[in-house]
């Protein structure tokens, strides 16, 4: 007996949704304003800089944020495309200030890496049953014992500055949960951070 077409369609849609969800990297974001309600600004253009030592990671984070913020503000400026050269310490601050002035951005979003945390998660035992080599031959039973898997989470801090003010106006801490790749990690982080910025009323669109 075949299942009704509607039932098959629903099952297929559910399977597809689960498959897509399995490809995503989950993130957690906790954010808050550092200003009184009356002083909370809305930004139309942002200068984005990732303060991360690894060049590949830094560029990947900035590019992902540029993509995630593109339709939420008028302009997004990425540090790796605007700075005149690599620098450290006070020289970096001077170069960033000049690049921000040239861009005309009214806000600076700085992302910094906080820590990586390794955790061991327990996968409980399972009892799998399936059909035997031929129909009517009963079930084959396979027991899979429990085991531990090592997962790694990454924590980042995002700080939003209003140009002309030294103290941040908004901050967020993000936890990227056991990413399967750099691309998945930065895409999930950037998408959730941009969404939180908009939900908190920090963006012009």
């Amino acid at each position: 007996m075949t299942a009704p077409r509607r039932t098959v369609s629903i099952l297929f849609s559910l399977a597809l949704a689960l498959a897509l969800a399995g490809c995503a990297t989950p993130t957690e974001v906790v954010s808050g304003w550092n200003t009184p309600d009356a002083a909370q600004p809305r930004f139309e253009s942002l200068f984005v800089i990732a303060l991360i030592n690894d060049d590949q990671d830094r560029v990947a984070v900035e590019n992902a944020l540029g993509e995630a913020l593109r339709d939420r503000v008028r302009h997004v400026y990425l540090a790796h495309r605007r700075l005149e050269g690599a620098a450290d310490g006070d020289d970096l601050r001077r170069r960033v200030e000049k690049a921000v002035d040239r861009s005309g951005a009214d806000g600076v979003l700085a992302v910094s890496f906080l820590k990586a945390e390794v955790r061991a998660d327990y996968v409980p035992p399972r009892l799998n049953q399936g059909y035997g080599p031929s129909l009517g031959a009963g079930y084959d039973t396979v027991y899979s014992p429990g085991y531990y898997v090592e997962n790694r989470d990454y924590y980042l801090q995002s700080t939003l500055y209003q140009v002309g003010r030294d103290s941040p106006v908004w901050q967020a801490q993000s936890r990227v949960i056991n990413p399967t790749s750099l691309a998945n990690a930065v895409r999930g982080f950037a998408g959730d951070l941009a969404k939180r910025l908009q939900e908190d009323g920090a963006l012009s669109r």
Side-chain angles (χ1 to χ4, degrees), residues 177-201:
I177 302 171
N178 196 38
T180 56
S181 67
L182 175 61
N184 284 341
V186 298
R187 184 167 56 248
F189 160 74
D192 285 352
L193 186 67
K195 181 180 178 182
R196 182 57 61 92
L197 279 163
Q198 189 167 46
E199 289 175 348
D200 288 353

Side-chain angles (χ1 to χ4, degrees), residues 116-200:
E117 186 176 85
V118 178
R119 55 186 169 83
D121 292 335
Y122 180 68
V123 179
R126 293 186 305 171
L127 189 63
N128 302 318
Q129 291 182 327
Y131 285 107
S134 62
L135 292 177
Y139 287 94
D140 291 334
T141 301
V142 178
Y143 175 77
S144 300
Y147 58 94
Y148 284 91
V149 293
E150 185 177 280
N151 292 318
R152 186 180 297 268
D153 299 340
Y154 296 88
Y155 294 81
L156 299 100
Q157 179 165 288
S158 303
T159 306
L160 182 59
Y161 295 89
Q162 186 175 19
V163 172
R165 295 181 58 169
D166 289 333
S167 57
V169 296
W170 181 92
Q171 280 186 317
Q173 286 75 44
S174 300
R175 175 189 176 203
V176 183
I177 302 171
N178 196 38
T180 56
S181 67
L182 175 61
N184 284 341
V186 298
R187 184 167 56 248
F189 160 74
D192 285 352
L193 186 67
K195 181 180 178 182
R196 182 57 61 92
L197 279 163
Q198 189 167 46
E199 289 175 348
D200 288 353

Side-chain angles (χ1 to χ4, degrees), residues 43 45 47 100-101 104-108 161-166:
F43 296 91
S45 58
F47 186 96
V100 171
D101 287 342
D106 56 2
V108 177
Y161 295 89
Q162 186 175 19
V163 172
R165 295 181 58 169
D166 289 333

Side-chain angles (χ1 to χ4, degrees), residues 2-179:
T2 60
R5 181 174 299 177
R6 177 176 175 78
T7 303
V8 173
S9 177
I10 291 173
L11 291 175
F12 175 78
S13 298
L14 178 60
L16 179 60
L18 291 173
L20 292 175
C23 297
T25 295
T27 60
E28 296 176 348
V29 184
V30 179
S31 66
W33 287 97
N34 295 341
T35 63
D37 290 348
Q40 293 176 2
R42 293 174 65 89
F43 296 91
E44 293 199 358
S45 58
L46 291 177
F47 186 96
V48 175
I49 180 169
L51 302 173
I52 300 173
N53 290 332
D54 184 271
D55 287 341
Q56 181 183 7
D57 292 352
R58 175 173 54 84
V59 171
V61 168
E62 291 179 3
N63 283 338
L65 282 170
E67 183 67 23
L69 291 166
R70 184 179 59 183
D71 297 327
R72 302 176 191 263
V73 292
R74 290 185 181 276
H75 301 289
V76 181
Y77 305 99
L78 306 182
H80 70 270
R81 299 179 183 174
R82 310 289 295 193
L83 293 178
E84 295 179 346
D88 297 312
D90 293 338
D91 190 40
L92 174 59
R93 177 170 182 150
R94 180 180 60 81
R95 290 176 183 270
V96 170
E97 288 175 347
K98 285 187 175 182
V100 171
D101 287 342
R102 287 194 301 268
S103 71
D106 56 2
V108 177
L109 179 62
V111 177
S112 55
F113 174 76
L114 294 177
K115 66 175 180 176
E117 186 176 85
V118 178
R119 55 186 169 83
D121 292 335
Y122 180 68
V123 179
R126 293 186 305 171
L127 189 63
N128 302 318
Q129 291 182 327
Y131 285 107
S134 62
L135 292 177
Y139 287 94
D140 291 334
T141 301
V142 178
Y143 175 77
S144 300
Y147 58 94
Y148 284 91
V149 293
E150 185 177 280
N151 292 318
R152 186 180 297 268
D153 299 340
Y154 296 88
Y155 294 81
L156 299 100
Q157 179 165 288
S158 303
T159 306
L160 182 59
Y161 295 89
Q162 186 175 19
V163 172
R165 295 181 58 169
D166 289 333
S167 57
V169 296
W170 181 92
Q171 280 186 317
Q173 286 75 44
S174 300
R175 175 189 176 203
V176 183
I177 302 171
N178 196 38

